[in-house]
């Protein structure tokens, strides 16, 4: 009996009385297999759709469930994944993945005839799963109150998810058998891969049963397989299998099936086997603690695969594979302390990936990202990058409004870059014969992950005549989608730069020094042996450190692309001051993104407005220090900032940053007659600054923050204002005799610190309470000063004495 059976009545009851339910069930509970089949068999729901995040798991679950009914997939149990759809009028339980559910909701927001949506292994938080759940919740709220949603996983952050979904939680016990944890410490983290084969040997000698080994990717799988090859040749009772997403069905099935009688199996796998997949006979798990994940670089727009440490939740998932049939063992690479320091959960895709597909889906859905019910929200930087890409792909306009091509792109059900390319090449086919077939070759190369030479065109030529099976499979798929026949004729390779530009307009690059600069302004590194004299590159594959290494590209000329992608090119008349040569540059330029395609002297006269704008740009770049008169304005700037701080309802902010942001408002009128850089430097900044406020506010500023204060001696003493702390007034002590209290500024809001000086202008006392000083510390000062400065007046009662700036003999 599976653990999920114990909570089944409770789950059905909750689904009956609530719209949404959260199910937490660890590995082995039966939530992905027994539960959906039982819900269908009991006829609690007429039609169920279950989302699986991985194609391998979806295919195997569908196959397993169909076998339980002695049926083929496509009858009562259906399957809908990329390149494989098996459904019929009999289908009552459909397993879907790869964004398929999102497409179903977009095409039919009411989800007609569907009673229950199940989101399996939701903790994996793929972008497509987040998108589909958001749309499902909106459909449920606005169109289908009777629609039920079941979100389930082995390692959910239950409290957080429950708050987000506002629903009850049903918890099930997990594996039936205990799992012993063993930790293998590492002396050198960089040598972690070399430790895997010895761990496998140790597990084989210490434990019985088959072994499941989790590794980050295919490269590591090949390394470990080679390390074990010679000794396994001597052990006929041990079978070595590999399991990863890009394998054929036959290879995957061989890895999943139980070992033959009297034999043991070693399965080297990626994290495809982490969830919703049962591998028969496994009772030992070896966990490298690593995974391969995409790390998105906002600057270059590249998602680069990186090897990362897994979270504790993933580690628990992996260990769960060992306790399905009997007590098991997990060997973890690293110490227990390292394990406990791992993140609790893996970072969701929505926070670490290109979200252009999500924005396009939301736009077609008729909403914006801010209004979608999302558990986590991407950053503004992610949003701006994705929005700019969709503008370049002609899916939306600058205001974010959906364009006709954007609707067609979304309907294709593939990523926006590929969708844009496919639709455009079909439009261009009459003029550029063979470009659609060439695009299919390019897409097959991208999807099959076949290694490409740096020069893209040579790789495609070679693949036409000598291609591995995975490339041929992808080529057949894309040719079918594009409705084009691969007739074996020569590829129209001369169009390859257009094909690349249609998918990667942001990766069009211009030479800069020894490297190149992308259309978005990011610098990238060229290959040391290729494109040495090339001015422009269309980059197909970009990655490496910080996503800045060109792996595959081809040369192009802007003249070739301009008729095809005119919206990428922007003509501007530019007026700039070049300080090096002390001259204006007045040019007509054509830009592609941030780099200049062409430039020539402008055909229009240099007008006053353009010149003033150029001076404003100089000030924005250099700051207020460009003005020689800045020093004379130091006190005024501080007074204006204090006024904004203490009287925000009367005075606007006046920091340098605020001033530079509003140059057009206050500085531009003073630039009309400026024709030379030296004239700009000598501009009277004080006049321009005061002109920001009207005459009444200028008077108010002088009343609140006077430049000078008149003291009892008749002298007008300059006030030194500071942004933090009191104003300072440095004055000879004799000049404030007769002043009983410290001066007051800003209606008492700003204290004044008196710096009382000796006749030789040396500090004697700092005080903000003059009356207290006269009564206390003054006596000590008087005693000392009488001896040092006998010619000066040192009265016994300074609070009532006559102030003076003279010696006694001249008073």
């Amino acid at each position: 009996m599976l653990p999920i059976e114990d909570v089944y009545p409770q789950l059905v009851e909750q689904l009956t009385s609530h719209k949404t339910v959260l199910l937490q069930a660890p590995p082995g509970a039966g939530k992905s297999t027994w539960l959906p089949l039982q819900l269908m068999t009991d006829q609690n729901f007429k039609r169920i759709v279950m989302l699986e995040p991985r194609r391998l798991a979806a295919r195997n679950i569908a196959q397993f469930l169909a076998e339980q009914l002695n049926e083929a997939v496509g009858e009562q149990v259906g399957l809908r994944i990329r390149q494989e759809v098996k459904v019929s009028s009999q289908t009552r339980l459909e397993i879907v993945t790869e964004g398929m559910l999102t497409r179903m909701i977009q095409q039919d927001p009411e989800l007609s005839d569907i009673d229950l949506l199940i989101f399996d292994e939701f903790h994996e938080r793929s972008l497509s799963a987040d998108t589909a759940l958001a749309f499902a919740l909106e459909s449920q709220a606005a169109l289908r109150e009777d629609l039920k949603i079941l979100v389930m996983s082995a390692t959910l952050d239950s409290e957080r998810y429950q708050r987000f979904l506002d629903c009850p939680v049903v918890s099930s016990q997990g594996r039936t058998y205990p799992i012993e944890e063993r930790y293998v410490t590492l002396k050198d983290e960089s040598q972690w891969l070399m430790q895997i084969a010895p761990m496998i040997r140790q597990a084989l000698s210490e434990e019985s049963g088959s072994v499941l080994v989790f590794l980050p990717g295919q490269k590591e799988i090949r390394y470990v397989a080679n390390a074990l090859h010679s000794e396994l040749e001597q052990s006929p009772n041990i079978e070595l299998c590999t399991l990863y997403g890009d394998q054929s069905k036959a290879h995957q099935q061989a890895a999943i099936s139980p070992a033959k009688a009297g034999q043991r199996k070693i399965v080297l796998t990626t994290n495809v086997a982490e969830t919703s997949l049962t591998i028969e006979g496994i009772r030992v798990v070896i966990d490298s603690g690593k995974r391969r994940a995409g790390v998105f670089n906002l600057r270059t727009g590249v998602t680069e695969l990186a090897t990362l440490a897994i979270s504790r939740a993933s580690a628990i998932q992996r260990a769960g594979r060992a306790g399905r049939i009997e007590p098991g063992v997990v060997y973890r690479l690293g110490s227990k302390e390292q394990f406990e320091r791992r993140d609790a959960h893996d970072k969701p895709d929505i926070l670490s990936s290109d979200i252009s597909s999500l924005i396009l889906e939301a736009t077609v859905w008729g909403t914006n990202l801010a209004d979608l019910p999302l558990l986590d929200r991407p950053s503004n930087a992610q949003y701006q990058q994705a929005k700019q890409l969709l503008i370049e792909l002609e899916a939306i306009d600058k205001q974010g409004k959906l364009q006709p091509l954007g609707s067609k792109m979304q309907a294709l059900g593939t990523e926006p870059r590929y969708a844009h390319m496919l639709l455009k090449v079909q439009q261009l086919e009459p003029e550029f014969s063979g470009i659609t077939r060439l695009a299919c070759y390019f897409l097959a190369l991208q999807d099959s992950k076949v290694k490409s030479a740096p020069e893209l065109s040579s790789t495609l030529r070679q693949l036409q005549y000598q291609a591995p099976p995975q490339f041929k499979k992808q080529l057949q798929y894309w040719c079918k989608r594009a409705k084009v026949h691969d007739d074996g004729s020569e590829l129209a390779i001369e169009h390859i730069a257009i094909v690349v530009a249609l998918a990667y307009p942001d990766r069009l690059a211009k030479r800069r020094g020894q490297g190149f600069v992308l259309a978005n302004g990011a610098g990238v590194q060229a290959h040391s042996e290729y494109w040495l004299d090339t001015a422009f590159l269309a980059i197909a594959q970009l990655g490496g450190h910080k996503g800045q290494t060109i792996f595959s590209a081809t040369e192009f000329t802007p003249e070739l692309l301009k008729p095809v992608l005119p919206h990428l090119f922007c003509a501007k008349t530019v007026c700039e001051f070049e300080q090096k040569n002390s001259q204006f540059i007045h040019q007509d330029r054509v830009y592609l993104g941030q780099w200049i395609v062409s430039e020539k002297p402008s055909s229009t006269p240099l007008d006053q407005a353009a010149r003033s704008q150029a001076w404003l740009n100089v000030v924005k770049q250099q700051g207020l220090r460009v003005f020689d008169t800045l020093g004379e304005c130091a006190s005024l700037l501080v007074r204006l900032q204090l006024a904004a701080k203490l009287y925000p309802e009367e005075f606007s902010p006046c920091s340098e940053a605020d001033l530079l942001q509003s140059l057009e408002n206050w500085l531009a009128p003073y630039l009309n007659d400026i024709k030379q850089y030296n004239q700009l430097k000598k501009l009277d900044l004080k006049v321009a600054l005061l002109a920001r406020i009207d005459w009444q506010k200028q008077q108010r500023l002088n009343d609140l923050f006077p430049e000078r204060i008149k003291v009892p001696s008749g002298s007008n003493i300059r006030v030194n204002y500071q942004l933090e702390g009191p104003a300072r007034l440095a004055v000879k002590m004799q000049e404030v005799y007769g002043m009983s209290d410290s001066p007051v500024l800003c209606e008492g809001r700003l204290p004044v610190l008196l710096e009382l000086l000796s006749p030789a202008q040396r500090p004697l006392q700092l005080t903000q309470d003059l009356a207290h000083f006269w009564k206390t510390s003054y006596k000590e000062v008087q005693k000392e000063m009488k001896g040092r400065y006998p010619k000066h007046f040192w009265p016994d009662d300074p609070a009532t004495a006559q102030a003076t700036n003279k010696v006694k003999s001249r008073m």
Side-chain angles (χ1 to χ4, degrees):
M1 182 174 176
L2 290 167
I4 197 70
E5 297 180 53
D6 290 337
V7 299
Y8 180 71
Q10 179 190 356
L11 179 63
V12 172
E13 181 185 350
Q14 294 288 14
L15 282 170
T16 302
S17 55
H18 295 84
K19 294 190 297 183
T20 304
V21 176
L22 189 61
L23 172 63
Q24 185 170 15
K31 65 182 182 303
S32 304
T33 52
W34 184 89
L35 175 61
L37 194 62
Q38 193 65 38
L39 288 170
M40 184 192 79
T41 305
D42 288 351
Q43 297 188 351
N44 290 300
F45 301 95
K46 293 179 182 178
R47 187 165 172 231
I48 302 168
V49 172
M50 183 164 77
L51 176 69
E52 283 293 331
R54 299 181 186 277
R55 280 180 287 171
L56 177 59
R59 185 185 293 116
N60 281 280
I61 287 172
Q63 183 66 43
F64 175 82
L65 296 180
E67 288 174 356
Q68 304 309 299
L69 300 172
N70 295 315
E71 295 179 353
V73 175
E75 295 182 49
Q76 289 191 79
V77 177
L79 175 67
R80 193 186 299 268
I81 64 178
R82 185 189 172 196
Q83 302 188 33
E84 192 173 351
V85 177
K86 295 180 179 179
V87 294
S88 67
S89 58
Q90 298 175 267
T91 302
R92 295 176 54 215
L93 170 60
E94 191 171 331
I95 315 300
V96 305
T97 189
E98 295 292 315
M100 291 294 180
L101 180 56
T102 301
R103 292 186 66 190
M104 292 170 69
I105 301 175
Q106 288 276 26
Q107 292 167 0
D108 178 15
E110 293 187 15
L111 293 171
S112 306
D113 301 325
I114 297 174
D115 301 298
L116 173 65
L117 293 179
I118 301 176
F119 290 80
D120 193 19
E121 306 298 358
F122 191 71
H123 71 276
E124 294 199 10
R125 298 292 306 284
S126 68
L127 189 61
S128 61
D130 271 5
T131 307
L133 179 61
F135 290 173
L137 290 171
E138 290 216 327
S139 291
Q140 185 189 60
L143 304 170
R144 284 285 310 279
E145 289 189 359
D146 61 322
L147 178 68
K148 304 295 184 178
I149 297 175
L150 175 61
V151 178
M152 58 187 196
S153 175
T155 56
L156 281 178
D157 187 355
S158 297
E159 290 185 8
R160 183 166 179 254
Y161 279 50
Q162 186 181 14
R163 287 195 302 270
F164 171 68
L165 295 169
D166 189 23
C167 70
V169 178
V170 176
S171 296
S172 167
Q173 296 299 311
R175 55 181 179 256
T176 309
Y177 301 98
I179 295 173
E180 180 185 349
E181 298 176 340
R182 297 176 186 171
Y183 294 87
V184 178
T185 57
L186 265 174
K187 293 182 180 179
D188 184 354
E189 176 66 27
S190 66
Q191 303 298 311
W192 70 268
L193 186 55
M194 297 179 184
Q195 188 64 45
I196 301 299
M199 288 175 70
I200 295 173
R201 298 186 190 103
Q202 178 184 348
L204 289 172
S205 65
E206 294 178 348
E207 298 295 329
S208 61
S210 293
V211 181
L212 180 63
V213 185
F214 283 100
L215 294 162
Q218 295 179 40
K219 182 178 72 172
E220 292 81 6
I221 286 175
R222 286 192 295 270
Y223 175 89
V224 175
N226 290 334
L228 295 171
H229 178 72
S230 59
E231 57 200 272
L232 290 179
E233 281 188 331
Q234 310 301 318
S235 305
N237 64 325
I238 298 178
E239 179 186 6
L240 180 66
C241 297
T242 60
L243 179 62
Y244 48 87
D246 292 335
Q247 281 179 310
S248 67
K249 293 181 187 177
H251 278 97
Q252 291 174 349
Q253 200 57 45
I256 294 170
S257 60
K260 297 174 183 176
Q263 284 195 324
R264 304 175 70 181
K265 179 185 285 189
I266 300 172
V267 181
L268 307 179
T269 185
T270 62
N271 58 0
V272 298
E274 193 173 296
T275 56
S276 298
L277 193 64
T278 299
I279 300 178
E280 300 291 342
I282 298 296
R283 66 167 302 273
V284 178
V285 164
I286 294 176
D287 186 3
S288 67
K290 310 287 184 182
R291 68 184 176 106
R292 193 89 80 232
V295 178
F296 185 60
N297 188 309
L298 279 168
R299 187 77 176 116
T300 59
V302 173
T303 299
E304 181 71 4
L305 288 177
T307 302
L308 308 173
I310 63 171
S311 64
R312 293 196 304 275
S314 289
I316 293 168
Q317 285 279 97
R318 291 180 175 186
R321 305 293 108 182
R324 292 290 182 92
I325 54 173
E326 58 183 301
V329 179
V330 58
Y331 291 81
R332 290 196 174 112
L333 188 58
S335 66
K336 187 172 183 179
E337 291 73 22
Q338 288 174 316
F339 170 78
E340 291 173 347
R341 287 198 299 268
R342 288 178 182 167
D343 292 338
H345 300 274
D346 292 331
K347 192 175 184 180
D349 284 353
I350 199 170
L351 298 180
S352 57
S353 62
D354 173 10
I355 61 167
S356 56
S357 60
L358 170 60
I359 293 176
L360 179 58
E361 292 286 358
T363 307
V364 172
W365 185 248
T367 188
N368 56 55
L369 222 55
D371 294 331
L372 272 181
L374 296 168
L375 181 63
D376 293 287
R377 299 204 170 273
S379 67
N380 184 60
Q382 283 177 280
Y383 174 78
Q384 295 300 332
Q385 187 276 338
K387 180 183 176 183
Q388 180 59 36
L389 175 60
L390 291 174
I391 292 171
E392 293 174 5
L393 294 176
E394 305 174 89
I396 61 174
D397 63 16
K398 291 182 179 179
Q399 287 71 46
K401 184 180 178 181
L402 184 68
Q403 299 299 288
L405 187 62
S407 296
K408 294 177 182 177
M409 288 166 57
Q410 185 276 333
L412 278 181
T414 187
E415 63 173 286
R417 291 182 185 274
Y418 292 179
H420 179 256
M421 183 211 297
L422 280 176
L423 291 169
K424 293 290 284 190
V425 293
Q426 289 172 334
Q427 293 176 12
L428 295 170
E429 184 66 35
E431 183 180 356
F432 299 89
S433 179
I435 194 172
T436 305
R437 177 166 161 255
L438 178 66
C440 292
Y441 267 76
F442 178 70
L443 288 170
L445 173 63
Q446 299 293 91
D447 271 4
S448 63
K449 299 180 177 66
V450 173
K451 188 174 182 181
S452 175
E455 176 48 55
L456 176 63
S457 57
S458 62
T459 300
L460 293 175
R461 283 194 182 98
Q462 183 179 356
L463 286 170
Q464 186 179 6
Y465 301 105
Q466 187 179 0
Q470 66 265 37
F471 176 85
K472 292 179 179 179
K473 179 182 177 182
Q474 293 298 331
L475 179 61
Q476 184 180 15
Y477 169 75
W478 286 113
C479 284
K480 183 178 179 181
R481 292 211 64 178
K483 299 178 181 178
V484 64
H485 177 58
D486 184 25
D487 57 10
S489 62
E490 285 291 325
L491 284 175
I493 206 73
E494 65 274 14
H495 304 324
I496 188 57
I498 297 175
V499 170
V500 176
L502 290 170
Y504 299 103
D506 50 335
R507 296 188 195 172
L508 297 175
K510 179 183 179 182
R511 179 168 292 282
R512 183 176 65 183
Q514 297 302 307
F516 288 83
V517 58
L518 300 180
N520 67 2
V524 292
Q525 302 301 314
H527 196 283
S528 59
E529 300 176 11
Y530 288 83
W531 318 299
L532 300 180
D533 300 317
T534 300
F536 301 98
L537 274 183
I539 302 171
Q541 292 180 3
L542 191 64
H545 180 62
K546 296 183 178 180
Q548 294 179 333
T549 302
I550 302 172
F551 292 141
S552 176
T554 194
E555 186 176 1
F556 78 96
T557 61
E559 292 75 17
L560 174 70
L561 295 184
K562 197 169 183 181
V564 180
L565 292 165
H567 68 283
L568 295 181
F569 295 80
C570 177
K572 294 180 183 178
T573 297
V574 176
C575 179
E576 295 176 347
F577 180 77
E578 189 182 74
Q579 190 173 344
K580 182 179 179 181
N581 298 319
S582 296
Q583 65 179 13
F584 277 102
I585 297 174
H586 188 217
Q587 294 178 330
D588 292 333
R589 292 177 180 172
V590 175
Y591 286 86
L592 196 161
Q594 294 188 25
W595 50 258
I596 300 169
V597 176
S598 63
E599 55 191 1
K600 62 181 180 180
S602 179
S603 57
T604 59
L606 176 60
D607 62 13
Q608 189 180 76
R611 190 171 54 224
S612 294
Q613 186 59 52
W615 290 130
L616 289 174
N617 292 337
V618 170
V619 177
K620 286 177 182 178
Q621 292 168 8
Q622 298 186 32
L624 298 182
R625 65 180 181 278
V626 71
F627 300 107
D628 291 341
T629 54
L630 177 61
E632 301 169 19
C633 300
S635 177
L636 174 61
L637 282 168
V638 173
R639 291 163 65 212
L640 286 168
Q641 289 182 71
L642 285 173
K645 180 180 178 181
L646 298 176
Y647 297 88
E649 69 283 356
E650 295 184 54
F651 296 90
S652 58
C654 197
S655 68
E656 181 168 2
D658 295 318
L659 292 172
L660 293 177
Q661 285 180 357
S662 59
L663 288 176
E664 286 80 3
N665 298 330
W666 65 274
L667 184 60
Y670 294 88
L671 301 176
N672 293 336
D673 298 325
I674 303 292
K675 296 181 180 179
Q676 301 293 330
Y677 185 61
N678 283 339
Q679 287 181 278
L680 178 72
K681 291 177 69 65
K682 294 176 181 177
L683 183 142
D684 193 336
L685 183 60
K686 185 174 183 179
V687 171
L689 287 171
L690 284 173
R692 291 176 68 252
I693 57 179
D694 59 31
W695 187 84
Q696 286 84 358
K697 284 187 178 177
Q698 289 183 34
Q699 295 305 306
R700 176 73 166 153
L701 179 71
N702 290 332
D703 291 341
L704 295 171
F705 303 90
E707 293 186 74
R708 295 176 177 273
I709 292 179
K710 189 172 185 178
V711 294
S713 68
S715 298
N716 286 302
I717 308 298
R718 180 178 294 278
V719 183
N720 292 312
Y721 291 94
Q722 50 190 7
L723 292 176
E724 300 295 334
R728 297 175 70 104
L729 191 70
V731 59
K732 290 181 182 179
M733 187 177 292
Q734 283 86 359
E735 297 201 53
V736 293
Y737 291 159
M739 182 185 286
S740 57
D741 294 302
S742 295
V744 174
L745 293 174
C746 303
E747 304 165 331
R749 299 185 191 185
L750 181 65
V752 177
L753 179 67
L754 286 170
E755 185 178 5
L756 302 177
L757 308 175
S758 72
Q761 304 279 359
R762 292 174 180 168
L764 293 177
Q765 182 71 31
L766 293 173
T767 182
Q768 288 181 222
D769 188 348
L770 187 61
H772 181 72
F773 168 67
W774 291 146
K775 294 176 181 177
T776 55
S777 304
Y778 172 73
K779 294 296 182 183
E780 293 296 323
V781 174
Q782 178 194 37
K783 182 178 179 181
E784 182 181 349
M785 290 298 104
K786 273 187 174 182
R788 184 174 297 181
Y789 300 102
K791 295 181 179 181
H792 290 77
F793 183 41
W794 304 103
D796 291 333
D797 185 7
T800 58
Q802 181 181 352
T804 180
N805 55 15
K806 301 175 181 178
V807 295
K808 286 190 292 184
S809 61
R810 297 184 180 180
M811 288 177 62

